[in-house]
């Protein structure tokens, strides 16, 4: 959530900044509501002063010759009128404050100054490419056909069990999927210094509000029936980031670094994406992801984003998968993000790069919603943290990339060298394996 003080100072500047995200902020409506709130506060203070003076009026009336009971009755009548008006003002102020909060909860984060202009993903700017796409002397197949040829990827059974946009994996292919998770976690823990955490796969609405999925994106979530109010997590970002909700971190903990990695399944309804990537594992309702989350001081978050993105890139480099890194333009930037890099892996069957990781700096946007703070030792006062996260990586899409980039003319698939120890020394996937 944006800082309401910052919005009050210059709502027109906020509106201008948000246009880069293609969001129309109604500065006039904000100013109108804020003026109502301010006037209600002024009127309340005036009535409180009148109430204080009225309590002294009994003595004045008695001194002027009014009988005691009559004086008390007059003052009580005046006080009752003041209390009624005060109650009305308090209720009005509460309603206006709720409207202001609801308005701000629907407003996205301000983009960083170096976020490029642009309407959609076509305006994203490539930063770097790594690796050269392999040239094949045979007709490449997509991961669906490769997986089916291996006898390990089955969408028909998944549709029978549940419905579309789910998958069943068998045998060595299922093991390869598991190996990817273990490899990613090991790399982030032992090479990049993240602490592994295990979290619930269901969260409450406060957690989703904290990271920005609610109230705006409820249609993208799976909500459980019953009185629990729980939702299946769309990403480990939600439970991991909310671990520090309503928390004040001491400076010493930040010195040591607050960096978490977490593997979870993720559940997304993909509302509004019907017709997109319906074939295969690119866009599913249930998928696995290894997440990276960091909490840092405000002055450290820009550098932390570069480092976190580099950690995700390391996974692709170790797997020898060609990819490119792009910075998202304003129109493609997520609701809570201040700045985002996407990593896009090369998929030969599509002859293009596809997103496999998004790494974002949220500034203090999520922290303000969660009241996640750190104590500044220079002032002794709590200040808002900055939060960051990224996919390190999306496991299903990484498997897709391995199947397509590692495919051989005979239908087998070469297993990346770094994964072979997790596969019991197996170097190739084939129908026979």
């Amino acid at each position: 959530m944006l800082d309401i003080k910052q919005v009050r100072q210059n709502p027109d500047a906020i509106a201008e900044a948000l246009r880069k995200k293609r969001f129309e902020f109604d500065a006039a409506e904000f100013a109108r509501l804020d003026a109502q709130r301010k006037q209600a506060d002024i009127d309340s203070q005036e009535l409180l002063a009148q109430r204080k003076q009225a309590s002294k009026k009994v003595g004045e009336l008695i001194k002027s010759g009014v009988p005691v009971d009559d004086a008390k009755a007059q003052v009580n009548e005046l006080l009752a009128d003041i209390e009624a008006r005060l109650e009305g003002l308090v209720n009005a102020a509460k309603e206006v404050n709720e409207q202001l909060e609801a308005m701000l909860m629907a407003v996205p984060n301000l983009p960083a100054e170096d976020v490029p202009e642009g309407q959609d993903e076509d305006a994203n700017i490539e930063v770097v490419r790594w690796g050269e796409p392999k040239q094949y002397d045979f007709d490449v197949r997509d991961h669906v056909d490769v997986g089916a040829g291996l006898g390990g990827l089955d969408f028909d059974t998944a549709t029978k069990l549940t419905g579309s946009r789910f998958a069943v994996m068998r045998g060595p292919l299922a093991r390869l999927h598991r190996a990817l998770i273990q490899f990613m976690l090991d790399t982030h823990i032992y090479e990049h210094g993240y602490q592994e955490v295990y979290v619930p796969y269901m969260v409450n609405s406060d957690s989703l509000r904290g990271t920005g999925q609610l109230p705006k994106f409820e249609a993208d979530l799976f909500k459980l029936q019953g009185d629990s109010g729980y939702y299946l997590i769309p990403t480990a970002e939600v439970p991991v980031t909310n671990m520090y909700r309503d928390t004040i971190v001491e400076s010493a903990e930040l010195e040591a670094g607050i960096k978490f990695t977490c593997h979870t399944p993720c559940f997304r309804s993909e509302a509004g994406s019907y017709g997109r990537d319906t074939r295969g594992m690119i866009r599913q309702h249930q998928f696995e992801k290894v997440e990276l989350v960091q909490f840092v001081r405000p002055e450290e978050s820009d550098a932390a984003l570069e480092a976190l993105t580099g950690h995700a890139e390391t996974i692709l480099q170790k797997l020898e998968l060609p990819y490119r890194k792009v910075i998202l333009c304003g129109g493609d930037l997520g609701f809570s993000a201040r700045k985002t890099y996407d990593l896009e892996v090369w998929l030969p069957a599509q002859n293009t790069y596809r997103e496999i990781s998004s790494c974002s700096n949220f500034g203090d946007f999520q922290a303000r919603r969660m009241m996640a703070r750190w104590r500044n030792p220079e002032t002794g006062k709590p200040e808002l943290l900055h939060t960051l996260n990224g996919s390190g990586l999306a496991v299903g899409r990484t498997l897709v990339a391995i199947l397509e980039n590692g495919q051989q003319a005979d239908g087998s698939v070469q297993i990346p060298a770094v994964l072979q120890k997790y596969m019991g020394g197996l170097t190739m996937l084939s129908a026979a394996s």
Side-chain angles (χ1 to χ4, degrees), residues 107-417:
V107 175
N109 198 2
L110 299 176
E113 290 184 5
D114 59 345
V115 168
E117 292 280 357
Q119 180 72 33
D120 52 34
E121 61 184 17
D122 292 335
N124 295 341
I125 295 177
E126 183 176 302
V127 178
V128 68
R129 289 192 185 196
W130 186 93
E132 287 294 328
K134 181 181 175 181
Q135 300 300 313
Y136 300 88
D137 57 5
F138 57 90
D139 291 336
V140 296
R141 297 181 295 171
D142 70 4
H143 68 280
V144 177
D145 291 337
V146 173
L150 295 171
L153 191 55
D154 183 353
F155 294 101
D156 291 338
T157 299
T159 300
K160 178 179 71 174
L161 295 175
T162 310
S164 62
R165 298 197 177 185
F166 294 89
V168 167
M169 286 176 274
R170 295 189 177 94
L173 191 62
R175 184 177 184 180
L176 180 61
H177 184 265
R178 175 164 51 89
L180 278 168
I181 296 166
Q182 192 65 56
F183 158 67
M184 292 176 189
L185 288 172
D186 285 351
T187 302
H188 296 313
I189 293 165
Y190 300 115
E191 296 185 22
H192 301 147
Y194 288 80
Q195 180 184 36
E196 183 178 5
V197 291
Y198 172 85
V199 294
Y201 301 161
M202 296 179 284
V203 291
N204 55 37
S205 58
D206 287 342
S207 294
L208 289 157
R209 274 191 290 271
T211 43
Q213 282 80 13
L214 288 180
K216 191 174 179 63
F217 302 105
E218 185 162 13
D220 295 324
L221 304 170
F222 284 112
K223 185 175 184 180
L224 302 185
Q225 293 185 347
D227 299 329
S228 66
Y230 294 157
Y231 295 79
L232 295 176
I233 59 170
T235 164
E237 167 201 348
V238 179
V240 176
T241 308
N242 274 275
M243 286 168 59
Y244 280 76
R245 188 173 80 232
D246 299 322
T247 299
I248 299 176
V249 176
E250 296 303 327
S251 182
E253 189 174 354
L254 284 173
E255 287 288 348
I258 305 177
K259 298 162 58 176
F260 297 116
T261 185
C262 184
H263 159 249
T264 66
C266 306
F267 307 91
R268 299 183 185 178
S269 72
E270 297 293 352
S273 67
Y274 297 102
R276 295 183 60 195
D277 300 312
T278 54
R279 178 176 168 84
M281 295 180 66
I282 295 295
R283 193 178 298 274
Q284 295 201 295
H285 292 308
Q286 174 186 309
F287 59 97
E288 310 285 310
K289 189 149 64 77
V290 171
E291 193 76 2
L292 306 175
V293 174
Q294 293 193 26
F295 298 85
V296 300
R297 297 181 183 88
E299 66 270 18
E300 298 169 344
S301 65
D302 289 339
L305 176 61
E306 302 300 324
L308 185 148
T309 306
H311 298 153
E313 289 182 77
T314 297
I315 300 298
L316 290 166
Q317 292 171 10
K318 285 177 176 288
L319 293 170
E320 300 183 68
L321 293 172
Y323 71 92
R324 68 174 192 159
K325 172 183 172 182
V326 301
I327 182 172
L328 299 195
C329 70
D332 200 29
L333 198 58
F335 177 82
S336 299
R338 182 174 181 270
K339 180 179 178 179
T340 297
Y341 290 117
D342 269 8
L343 303 180
E344 299 177 347
V345 69
W346 177 255
L347 295 184
Q350 296 188 20
N351 196 39
T352 191
Y353 292 94
R354 295 299 305 270
E355 179 201 334
I356 197 168
S357 172
S358 281
C359 301
S360 300
N361 180 359
F362 301 99
D364 61 13
F365 187 82
Q366 292 179 328
R368 182 171 288 104
R369 296 166 79 108
M370 298 187 301
M371 290 305 292
R373 295 166 292 171
W374 69 290
R375 193 179 306 281
N376 189 329
E378 296 181 3
T379 64
K381 296 180 180 179
E383 300 176 10
L384 292 172
L385 288 160
H386 277 202
T387 61
L388 305 97
N389 72 54
S391 305
L393 303 163
V395 181
R397 292 192 180 194
T398 308
L399 183 68
V400 167
I402 289 173
L403 292 178
E404 293 198 6
N405 284 277
Q407 64 181 294
Q408 309 296 306
D410 62 0
S412 63
V413 174
Q414 185 174 7
I415 299 172

Side-chain angles (χ1 to χ4, degrees), residues 40-90:
D41 287 344
I42 292 171
D43 292 344
S44 295
Q45 292 301 317
E46 289 179 354
L47 283 174
L48 288 171
Q50 290 179 29
R51 185 173 68 181
K52 187 176 181 179
Q53 290 299 319
S55 62
K56 300 177 183 179
K57 201 170 182 65
V58 174
E60 294 174 4
L61 290 171
I62 293 172
K63 285 181 181 179
S64 67
V66 177
V68 174
D69 290 342
D70 291 345
K72 289 182 178 179
Q74 287 183 39
V75 170
N76 287 338
E77 184 178 351
L78 177 60
L79 286 171
D81 177 63
I82 291 173
E83 290 293 344
R85 290 159 60 196
L86 189 59
E87 183 181 359
L89 281 172
V90 168

